[in-house]
Amino acid sequence: MRDRDPTGRARNARPRDVLGRPLPHGAQGVPTIPDDLDLTPDETVTEAQRLFDEGMPFHAHEVLEAAWKTAGPESRELWRALAQYGAGLTHAQRGNSRGAASLLERAGDGIARWIGEPPAGLDVRGLQQHAFTLAERIAREGVESVPESDLRPTLRA
């Protein structure tokens, strides 16, 4: 059963390992992202990049998901696609080829829909290309073919 806050909203109070997998209550995990995280777009990209660089795409996904949940209608779908991108990289890191390819393809599609100046200097075309290329490679050759460096994208141009 999922943890819930006093208002009944789902919260995850369980500790997580470096790959974002839940650990038993009371176990020692890595620091998690607060459920109520509210950063500026620039802070979001900086923090997500730090986490990607440290090999923690699940935690980067959580940061990007927080931006998606707090974004206005003009950028919500871009942040959603970026959160899916982090989730796809998480599945790749965990060895789930099908989930990784599917989420990376979905993320690439969402990023491709962005029109205009990207927030926080995001390299939307580079991220889109990386998502599609990685999804195709994983679908064709499996996650075993992907070097760790390909799971650590550069978010800014």
Side-chain angles (χ1 to χ4, degrees):
M1 176 180 280
R2 279 189 85 172
D3 300 308
R4 304 237 173 232
D5 69 12
T7 66
R9 285 189 68 178
R11 300 288 183 206
N12 197 342
R14 289 175 61 184
R16 299 267 181 170
D17 71 9
V18 73
L19 300 181
R21 295 175 296 214
L23 298 169
H25 287 284
Q28 184 68 29
V30 299
T32 58
I33 306 303
D35 287 323
D36 60 352
L37 186 68
D38 187 13
L39 301 174
T40 67
D42 192 58
E43 292 168 333
T44 296
V45 173
T46 297
E47 181 62 6
Q49 185 65 67
R50 181 186 71 77
L51 292 163
F52 280 133
D53 290 347
E54 292 180 9
M56 300 174 70
F58 173 80
H59 297 84
H61 151 78
E62 292 283 294
V63 169
L64 296 164
E65 184 177 59
W68 161 33
K69 290 179 179 180
T70 60
E74 70 287 344
S75 64
R76 184 172 292 131
E77 290 305 310
L78 176 61
W79 292 112
R80 178 180 184 209
L82 293 167
Q84 290 170 333
Y85 183 71
L89 296 173
T90 298
H91 281 280
Q93 191 180 48
R94 292 177 181 175
N96 177 358
S97 293
R98 179 179 282 180
S102 175
L103 279 163
L104 288 166
E105 183 75 28
R106 194 175 319 152
D109 286 339
I111 294 168
R113 289 189 188 97
W114 178 259
I115 298 171
E117 189 67 27
L122 285 164
D123 179 10
V124 294
R125 296 303 158 233
L127 293 168
Q128 170 196 342
Q129 183 61 44
H130 181 257
F132 285 141
T133 300
L134 194 55
E136 181 181 309
R137 181 175 183 182
I138 290 170
R140 188 179 60 248
E141 302 172 26
V143 293
E144 304 79 22
S145 70
V146 178
E148 184 68 26
S149 61
D150 283 355
L151 303 180
R152 297 179 183 203
T154 301
L155 297 176
R156 289 189 172 107

